[in-house]
Amino acid sequence: MRARRLRPALAALALVLAFGCGATGPDAEVPRPKPVPQDWKLTFHDEFDGSELDTDRWATCYDWNQDGCTNSGNDEEQWYLPGQVSVRDGLLSLDAERRETRAGDDRTYPWRSGMISTGRDDWYGDPRHVFTYGYFEASIRVPEQAGMFPAFWMMPASKFTPPELDIMEFLGGTDRVFMYTHWRGPDGDQRARGTYGPVPFAEEHHVYGMLWTPDEVSWYVDGVERFRVTEPERVPHVPMEVLVNLAVGVPKSPPPSVDSARMTVDWVRVWQD
């Protein structure tokens, strides 16, 4: 349940109980999660309280934007378009729609969907915001429909992966969340995976978080640590962009009965030293 929907007095009590001491100063209304050291500051956040996406904070495509984009490395079935991204009633919505779309890469995709990124509008632009270390979290409700691939993750501002940090992914169902770190090893892309569940994640918003320091990466679900890596080769040390996307068709295509799906985000927040 999202705290902002509670009455003010109850909301304040709930936040204190859930997160402990809050931040001070202009962002005092934003609770400080337990993993965040006391001297860290809230350096980036979007509560999605307006009526449209803040394009000073977010792009709606990858760096390889060609009037839209996709991630062909995963054989995804959607073409991302800005029209599939909306902000209303305190929520960001990413809408997947079964609609044949002729794309900028001269292919036709059976789906269109939405994504946001703190990166560039195109390959030659500058990223909006990049981060090296910090605590990253978002309140997200994933869609219940089969065939969807929702994710909250980070990729290097250099445009090339690995490394990669996947704060949250759902693959093949909505009752188990996957958490990954990717790094380059002698045999190419290596990865370590954590999982947590079963939980009926699609029933409501849940908070997905990740603490990234020079010495470790730790993943959190609803404020509880669920996975950690400390091996030096598994911890990245490069500036990264934050992304939230609703991909389609990984690992399987949606069944014929599914024509649409929606992923909603209540907020995205970043604390840093």
Side-chain angles (χ1 to χ4, degrees):
M1 192 68 69
R2 294 182 295 126
R4 84 161 53 153
R5 302 300 179 229
L6 300 174
R7 287 179 295 175
L10 292 177
L13 176 59
L15 293 174
V16 169
L17 292 175
F19 295 98
C21 297
T24 59
D27 295 304
E29 73 281 1
V30 176
R32 179 189 297 274
K34 290 179 182 178
V36 175
Q38 280 297 116
D39 58 342
W40 284 21
K41 304 298 183 185
L42 187 68
T43 58
F44 176 90
H45 70 110
D46 197 337
E47 311 299 313
F48 303 112
D49 286 330
S51 58
E52 59 185 17
L53 185 70
D54 184 347
T55 54
D56 288 334
R57 288 187 174 104
W58 303 106
T60 55
C61 235
Y62 292 114
D63 300 335
W64 48 92
N65 187 353
Q66 295 178 289
D67 296 322
C69 59
T70 192
N71 188 343
S72 58
N74 291 333
D75 294 324
E76 296 171 8
E77 297 180 6
Q78 84 293 328
W79 186 251
Y80 289 121
L81 291 170
Q84 305 303 117
V85 180
S86 61
V87 174
R88 181 182 300 172
D89 299 327
L91 292 174
L92 168 80
S93 294
L94 304 179
D95 290 294
E97 177 185 3
R98 188 190 292 273
R99 182 175 172 186
E100 194 169 273
T101 302
R102 184 68 177 174
D105 62 358
D106 294 326
R107 295 177 58 193
T108 298
Y109 292 82
W111 286 77
R112 55 178 57 185
S113 190
M115 65 167 286
I116 58 172
S117 165
T118 64
R120 305 164 174 82
D121 285 317
D122 59 67
W123 190 260
Y124 300 102
D126 295 321
R128 287 161 169 77
H129 302 277
V130 298
F131 310 91
T132 308
Y133 314 127
Y135 181 75
F136 306 82
E137 70 170 16
S139 174
I140 296 172
R141 183 174 183 177
V142 297
E144 63 182 359
Q145 289 82 4
M148 300 298 136
F149 178 31
F152 170 38
W153 59 294
M154 302 184 70
M155 65 178 289
S158 66
K159 311 174 188 174
F160 300 102
T161 61
E164 176 182 320
L165 292 169
D166 301 318
I167 304 170
M168 171 275 278
E169 290 184 346
F170 284 88
L171 288 156
T174 60
D175 66 345
R176 186 169 298 275
V177 61
F178 294 85
M179 301 155 275
Y180 290 93
T181 178
H182 296 250
W183 69 95
R184 189 174 300 280
D187 299 321
D189 186 354
Q190 307 291 307
R191 63 182 182 174
R193 184 185 77 176
T195 66
Y196 172 63
V199 173
F201 286 106
E203 291 185 357
E204 60 183 352
H205 283 79
H206 290 267
V207 177
Y208 305 95
M210 184 190 71
L211 179 66
W212 171 27
T213 75
D215 302 311
E216 71 172 83
V217 184
S218 299
W219 287 257
Y220 294 79
V221 180
D222 294 325
V224 179
E225 183 179 329
R226 299 298 180 184
F227 180 50
R228 176 187 293 188
V229 298
T230 57
E231 298 86 346
E233 71 277 7
R234 302 185 180 191
V235 179
H237 306 284
V238 298
M240 290 192 167
E241 305 164 359
V242 171
L243 304 97
V244 185
N245 59 269
L246 178 54
V248 182
V250 179
K252 295 181 180 179
S253 299
S257 59
V258 173
D259 290 321
S260 64
R262 172 172 289 178
M263 175 180 180
T264 58
V265 184
D266 194 358
W267 40 260
V268 178
R269 298 168 182 162
V270 180
W271 284 262
Q272 291 180 296
D273 187 359

